[in-house]
Amino acid sequence: MSGYDHDLFVIGAGSGGVRASRIAAGHGANVGVAEEFRVGGTCVIRGCVPKKLLVYGAHFAEDLVDAKRFGWQIDSRQFAWPVLRDNVLAEVDRLNGIYHETLENHKVKLYPSRATFIDAHTLDVGGERVTARHILVATGARPLVPDLPGAEFGITSNEVFHLEALPKRLVIAGGGYIANEFAGVFNEFGVDVTLINRSADILRSWDPALRDRLLQISLAKGINFKFNCSFERIEKTDAGLRIHLKEGDPIETDMLLWAVGRRPNVEGLGLDAAGVALNEMGAIAVNEDSATNVDNIHAVGDVTDRIQLTPIAIREGHAFADSIFGNKPWRVDYNCVPSAVFSNPPLGSVGMTEAQARNKLGQVKVFTSDFRPMRNVLAGRNERALYKLIVDASTDRVVGAHMIGPDAPEVLQAVAIAIKAGLTKAQFDDTVALHPTMSEELVLMR
Ligand code: NDP
């Protein structure tokens, strides 16, 4: 081990850090990992996993209504937030335990403390001096809370899973992934939700037709939207919170949720002491091999702000560990990364949007299917799904798929394989439909 305490020291036991630790240890490295909070990271502890469970919980509100049309008589419909909350938190505890076991099984030494660089090979880990040949920064990101008076009266996605009780009224600041996901969830729980965004659009990077469909369905479900609004200050009142906007009258609410983006966790790590450089976005600057400007220091996941998605952090951690410790160098391919918003209904997307394809390829063909899912028809629910395929007119290759509707993310993952593999529209059409499904629309668009 050439005089170091560890071959690899990882700062942060989230998705990227745990994967890198486990793979490096599997290649025979002596690995230490520091985690100041809970092993598992944002995704497991206060992100994807508990959020998805809340999405499932919320959907019962509509399912129980729709059930009547399918012959089920449900006499009382009552929702107990504490039951769902506690069950979700217990599941998070279970997964946290599994992550601990993974580290133990791979003989990774866990330091339950904060780690700070003393120099490029030395860290202060909870008062202990620890040295390592390689160091991986995988500290993730945290919700951005804007710098304005009273901002501290708002909560973030970190706190939202622990609420004592549901508010009657909720204002959500932002119009991105987190804002739309929690708007859908809390609306189903009967909370009066208002989403306020600074621009004129929700989900700015998404296909406009899908965004518009989500907006129209959300409005029909009773979610309120205010666009082109900026927050001025938040005032605490006897009744709750008063939100002062730069435009228009103040808004009274019981709770405010900040969902205006996430910032890389670079502060307080002593990156200066190690000489690690940041990029213009304030994230750790890395190359395609996740290497920083300092030879023995790498960084993966949200702290590098490439694509803020768990599977990307995991791949980056895996590629790093295989490349440095397994003599198997490889790089993450960021082409065709699928993504979903677990709004109600959810969205899924992979590849180029229509606008991106037109800019890049010139001639494109666009195929759409705008349909009412069978289940919604019988339920009397007037919600239409929309699928869109973007095709390169010169090669016939399908270069993008975008969909909104029930289970869209599940369908999207499968179609992402075809798009990543470079299949043509003719090959889609050549595939026999699986009837009756929603996904058969993918092979029936003419
Ligand atoms: P997003 O980047 O998705 O959206 C941020 C929203 O906040 C935008 O509407 C943006 O406005 C607005 N905004 C940004 N900065 C400010 C500001 N200073 N003041 C007021 N409004 C502002 O951020 P989220 O926090 O929702 O999520 C962060 C990231 O986490 C996502 O981008 C995604 O990568 C990841 N994530 C993924 C999920 C998934 O895979 N399902 C779920 C949750 C998060 P504008 O419209 O002007 O851009």
Side-chain angles (χ1 to χ4, degrees):
M1 232 201 301
S2 58
Y4 294 111
D5 297 326
H6 293 285
D7 298 318
L8 170 65
F9 196 90
V10 179
I11 311 178
S15 301
V18 168
R19 174 60 67 92
S21 302
R22 164 165 94 69
I23 299 299
H27 291 311
N30 171 339
V31 183
V33 58
E35 172 56 57
E36 63 176 343
F37 186 52
R38 300 186 71 189
V39 172
T42 299
C43 175
V44 174
I45 306 293
R46 50 199 172 187
C48 327
V49 171
K51 180 274 310 288
K52 184 77 185 279
L53 292 170
L54 291 192
V55 168
Y56 281 130
H59 213 274
F60 281 99
E62 289 184 355
D63 294 341
L64 291 171
V65 171
D66 293 355
K68 286 199 185 121
R69 290 275 305 162
F70 289 85
W72 294 91
Q73 195 57 46
I74 290 146
D75 298 326
S76 85
R77 217 168 56 93
Q78 284 173 10
F79 173 63
W81 160 252
V83 175
L84 177 61
R85 178 199 60 203
D86 292 349
N87 287 340
V88 169
L89 294 178
E91 174 60 7
V92 168
D93 289 345
R94 189 183 72 85
L95 294 172
N96 172 243
I98 290 175
Y99 269 71
H100 272 276
E101 277 170 30
T102 299
L103 293 178
E104 273 167 33
N105 292 344
H106 287 82
K107 305 209 172 4
V108 173
K109 180 170 177 188
L110 175 65
Y111 296 72
S113 331
R114 190 172 181 77
T116 330
F117 281 99
I118 295 171
D119 61 42
H121 287 281
T122 317
L123 296 149
D124 177 315
V125 190
E128 188 182 341
R129 220 178 144 87
V130 179
T131 59
R133 185 154 58 95
H134 290 275
I135 296 176
L136 178 70
V137 185
T139 48
R142 63 178 185 286
L144 168 69
V145 175
D147 184 15
L148 52 87
E152 69 277 11
F153 297 130
I155 63 164
T156 69
S157 54
N158 289 348
E159 293 80 39
V160 76
F161 301 105
H162 299 268
L163 301 181
E164 273 299 310
L166 291 178
K168 284 203 167 55
R169 300 164 298 180
L170 171 69
V171 165
I172 302 181
Y177 282 73
I178 296 178
N180 283 285
E181 291 180 344
F182 283 109
V185 163
F186 283 104
N187 173 63
E188 293 300 310
F189 291 157
V191 176
D192 180 7
V193 177
T194 303
L195 190 149
I196 302 179
N197 198 28
R198 65 174 179 186
S199 73
D201 295 305
I202 54 170
L203 296 169
R204 201 208 282 256
S205 62
W206 285 69
D207 181 281
L210 270 65
R211 283 180 344 213
D212 187 58
R213 182 62 52 94
L214 177 63
L215 179 63
Q216 297 313 324
I217 295 177
S218 299
L219 284 166
K221 288 183 193 292
I223 299 173
N224 309 299
F225 289 84
K226 282 179 84 68
F227 292 113
N228 300 310
C229 286
S230 31
F231 288 75
E232 194 172 62
R233 67 190 168 92
I234 317 300
E235 183 189 350
K236 202 163 173 52
T237 65
D238 290 343
L241 298 175
R242 184 171 297 134
I243 302 200
H244 297 269
L245 302 168
K246 289 192 182 132
E247 308 78 11
D249 295 333
I251 295 177
E252 307 286 335
T253 188
D254 302 308
M255 193 176 277
L256 166 66
L257 172 65
W258 293 116
V260 291
R262 296 176 58 83
R263 290 292 175 269
N265 282 325
V266 292
E267 294 84 3
L269 289 171
L271 292 172
D272 283 352
V276 175
L278 303 182
N279 64 21
E280 64 284 359
M281 304 299 289
I284 294 184
V286 286
N287 67 11
E288 289 165 306
D289 296 313
S290 297
T292 70
N293 60 313
V294 180
D295 272 358
N296 68 305
I297 302 178
H298 288 70
V300 295
D302 287 0
V303 75
T304 65
D305 204 6
R306 285 174 277 186
I307 303 181
Q308 290 184 339
L309 293 176
T310 299
I312 291 294
I314 290 174
R315 276 190 179 229
E316 288 169 353
H318 200 132
F320 156 78
D322 273 351
S323 304
I324 301 291
F325 298 99
N327 202 20
K328 282 193 286 188
W330 60 279
R331 286 177 174 164
V332 176
D333 177 0
Y334 296 93
N335 193 24
C336 274
V337 173
S339 151
V341 184
F342 295 94
S343 45
N344 184 19
L347 284 75
S349 165
V350 66
M352 289 185 245
T353 61
E354 183 180 344
Q356 286 166 341
R358 286 196 194 286
N359 279 339
K360 190 161 179 214
L361 306 172
Q363 293 285 343
V364 299
K365 288 188 197 156
V366 178
F367 297 85
T368 56
S369 176
D370 188 338
F371 63 100
R372 190 140 76 115
M374 213 178 187
R375 186 186 187 284
N376 285 353
V377 175
L378 197 72
R381 185 170 285 284
N382 192 21
E383 275 175 35
R384 299 181 70 83
L386 179 64
Y387 289 8
K388 235 175 137 169
L389 288 182
I390 315 296
V391 177
D392 180 344
S394 62
T395 61
D396 196 40
R397 276 167 72 150
V398 182
V399 294
H402 311 277
M403 43 185 68
I404 176 171
D407 294 325
E410 302 290 341
V411 178
L412 194 277
Q413 174 71 84
V415 77
I417 301 170
I419 292 179
K420 177 88 177 156
L423 299 193
T424 61
K425 180 67 169 59
Q427 287 170 310
F428 273 57
D429 297 347
D430 200 29
T431 306
V432 174
L434 179 56
H435 186 71
T437 61
M438 289 179 286
S439 41
E440 69 180 312
E441 297 299 325
L442 288 169
V443 298
L444 296 175
M445 292 186 209
R446 299 289 189 266

